[in-house]
Amino acid sequence: MEQGLLLSFIQNSALLLAIVLVYDAFPRSYKRKKEAISRVGIGLLVSAITIAVMLMPWEYSEGVFFDSRTVILSICGMFFGGIATLVAVVVSAVYRLAEGGATVVPGIGAIVTSGLLGYLWGKYRKGSLSNVGFSELFSFGLICNSIILLWGVSLPAELAIKLLKQVTIPFLVIFPITTALLGMLLSRRIEIKRDQKIKLQDHLLFKSHFQSGNMGIAITNKDHQWIKVNPNLCEMLNYSESELTNLSWPKLMHTQDYFIYKHHFSQMLEGEINEFELDVRLKSKDETIVYTHMTVACQRAQSKVELVITGLLNRTYQKQAELEKNASQEQLGLVLASNELGFWDWDITKDSIERNEHSAAILGCDLESLNRSPKLWINAIHADDRVAVLKSIDAHLNGETEQHKVEYRIYNQQGELLWLLDSGKVMSRDDNGNPLRMCGVYTDITEQKRVEESLTLAASVYNNSSEAMSVQDEQGFIININAAFTNITGYSEAEVKQKNIKMLQCNRNSRNAYRQMNNAVDELGRWQGEVWLRRKNGEEFVVWLTLNALVDDNGNSKRRVALFSDITDKKQAEQVIWKQANYDPLTGLPNRRMLLDYLATEIIKADNREQHFALMFLDLDYFKEVNDTLGHDMGDRLLSEAAKRLKACIRETDVVARLGGDEFTVVLSGITDIKGVDKVAKHILARIAEPFNLGEETAYISASIGITLYPDDAVAIEGMLKHADQAMYAAKGEGRNRFHYFTPSMQRDAKHRMRLIQDLRHAIAEQEFELYYQPIVGLQQNNCLKAEALIRWRHPKRGLVSPIEFISVAEETGLIIEIGNWVFQQAARQSALWRDRFGVEVQISINKSPVQFRDEGDCFDAWVALLKNLNLTNNNICIEITEGLLLDGNEAISATLERYRESGIQVSLDDFGTGYSSLAYLKRFEIDFLKIDQSFTRNLDSKSNDFTLCEAIIVMAHKLGMKVIAEGVETEYQRKVLADAGCDYGQGYLFSRPLPSEEFEKRFIEVRLANTEAEKTDA
């Protein structure tokens, strides 16, 4: 390092000490304009020092200067604010520009950078500059000068490298140290001034008796930062001193009051006022409102607000008293308004009357007009009543009456005539007894007058009413009756007069009922309800009775009025209607409606007592067969007997209900052990399984029971019924004549089934089904002439779905009708397509569900029309049915099969041998094919029973003119054995799995055609 460079930097740094004097050179003014001028002056002084430093630089070469201007400007930015720094930077930059030279751009950049960094550091650092430390200042100087050195990069590379080697160490050692020392001196000056403020605070506290008096005192700076508070203020707001000094007026003061306070405070800061007073609301620590009178004064230093002294006088108690007074006045107004009372207040000395809103409403005008013109009220009084009103007022003013009270008529502004009760009283008199103030109320008694006028009419109604009426004294002795009383009871007036009403009493009413009736009349003055009475001839009848007590002015009951009407016919009709609505007419058991009400009550009872109850859902197995074979009359007898047996199996506290058809429910209340439920369920199964003697016939049925428990399985009625139903179907699925408890898996299965049904409906609408074809091969000729169409569902998410998963659901929901129609149409069109394309007649077999036979509708006619349209009337389609369909013995089934044959459709009996196989229906119905179930072919052996059965079926079918198809042929051995036994066709995986139509064509139709052509060629 060159000695000149070091000396130059040290000389420059020495000049920096002048900055300390600048801090006190321009004292701050309390007005913004003067403060701005002061800041500009500081900036000019700093720029003068900067230029002085720049006059003693270390010159590296011509136009290349180095000095400590960056220290001056960075310190200026940190301590003297934006205005002074901006002035110093601009003046210094202009001077550097005038100097020129090779480093003019980096020189000006260093000036701007140092000033900007100093200003930003001072603005965004945390804490007061009086607390800044040496390490922080040194770090700031190091960072600032490091950044400034980067301006050397803008010089030519060779010059920049040489220059940085010379100046880097002084820049990063001397200047940071100089920055730290200079900053510490300025920080010390700030600290001294702060200490002076503290001394001034203590002086003010002492002067204002800070610790004495009943006033809360707080000292803050101009930014509302709390410096000191006295104990009275802490006690007033329920804060400790440390808690309170961490808050500020904006957080403590009511928002509306703070805006007013802020306005006056701003005036004080601007010097327009030195103190002000306000009534403000403060928020204490517990969020209650403290009403205070605030006095705010300031202490200035050099015309600038340094400290703010605030005195607070607690006025909460006075304010609360004022609010309570206002509230009382409001309550009085509300009472008058709620009772619809007009109020008037007459100042007799001033002869002015103030009336309330309801008074104006009575007269039909606005309140302001009424109070401004008191004669409006006097003029509105009916002319015939006006004198009486004035006389009543005069009499009371003269002390002749204790109260002014008079009824009179008044016309409102709409011309309506109203009756008023005007009552008032003198509220104050002078020492001589002269009245000073009189107040009163108006009561609208128009309706009351109308009632009085209608009393005459009421008497006429009494004597001509169809409702029996009687007037009695307080002991119940009859004073008077009307004509309807005689008509209903048979007693004349002479027979009952002075007799006690008890002569009509009936033994159907308990003594307690009469006691409650009399107590209600004594306590409430009224009773109403149904009562049984006895006529003169001894006949008992029910009436709707109303008893009213008539009281005198002292509230003593003097008379009773009894009104009643005969409702015997009405009650009987209601009872019939109620029973029809809530009970099953066949069994006499509660129906679904009453069951739901009972379950709702039982749930409340179980919740209150923390008990459980069980709901059984019971379905009679094979009831449909009894109904169909023996008739509905016998079915009804069976249901009635089943209801009796169910009631005999339960306790009196339990309930049996019939939901409809053969479905019953049993509710077992107060369950403590599930073993008890099992016992009842087993008892019910045993009783239902006993023979039912139905006249000359005997029926045998069983029951399937589903059981759910509350609240274990469900907490709502709908959920319990659903779960019990699901459990019942599970019992049926396990073989019937058993009971099954609900399990969560049933709910999952039900949801899966519901989603499956939804997906099926979507699949039908979107045509998501496909037909696969499995060949039916001739075992004697070894050629393929037939195929079975098997449906597949191509689900958009699950892929290809087997019919095993959805056919049963489709049958239960009736969707099988639409699916079956689609299958028939597709199979028919495919057969026609193969015929037209290849010239081959391929018979396609399709399965038809029994559901389709029961609800065939117009489907058959549509099928026949389609076959005729496609010219498929030569046995191109074969319908496969099951044995169960033939067992019904329904003539409609036989007629339908006959129509199939007439339309060129053959019939195949599927799964033969697995059901109730009978020669009777084979002889009765014309069947073209028998299909031996695969359960017989799976374990086929020439010495096995299955082989014997197959051989017997084949021989029998041939004797009856039917051909035989064996299902499930999977091995060559099975094919050979069946062929040797004379079986006509085979179907199974030995020949092929079910195939899409295109693949079926290639493997069987095209190959068969090719073989036929080859045979012709060989021939």
Side-chain angles (χ1 to χ4, degrees), residues 449-490:
K449 284 293 183 179
R450 289 174 182 168
V451 172
E452 291 175 358
E453 292 172 1
S454 65
L455 286 178
T456 304
L457 179 62
S460 176
V461 171
Y462 174 80
N463 292 318
N464 295 281
S465 174
S466 60
E467 190 173 22
M469 300 182 186
S470 67
V471 181
Q472 311 152 23
D473 63 14
E474 59 272 20
Q475 281 80 37
F477 289 95
I478 299 174
I479 298 173
N480 194 7
I481 63 171
N482 67 347
F485 186 97
T486 299
N487 295 334
I488 293 175
T489 64

Side-chain angles (χ1 to χ4, degrees), residues 157-170:
E158 184 178 356
L159 176 61
I161 293 171
K162 291 180 180 181
L163 191 59
L164 290 175
K165 286 181 179 179
Q166 292 289 328
V167 301
T168 299
I169 293 177

Side-chain angles (χ1 to χ4, degrees), residues 205-206 208-215 217 228-232 241:
L205 292 174
F206 176 76
S208 59
H209 302 283
F210 190 73
Q211 300 294 338
S212 62
N214 60 353
M215 180 180 288
I217 300 174
K228 193 145 181 84
V229 296
N230 74 339
N232 286 331
E241 184 176 353

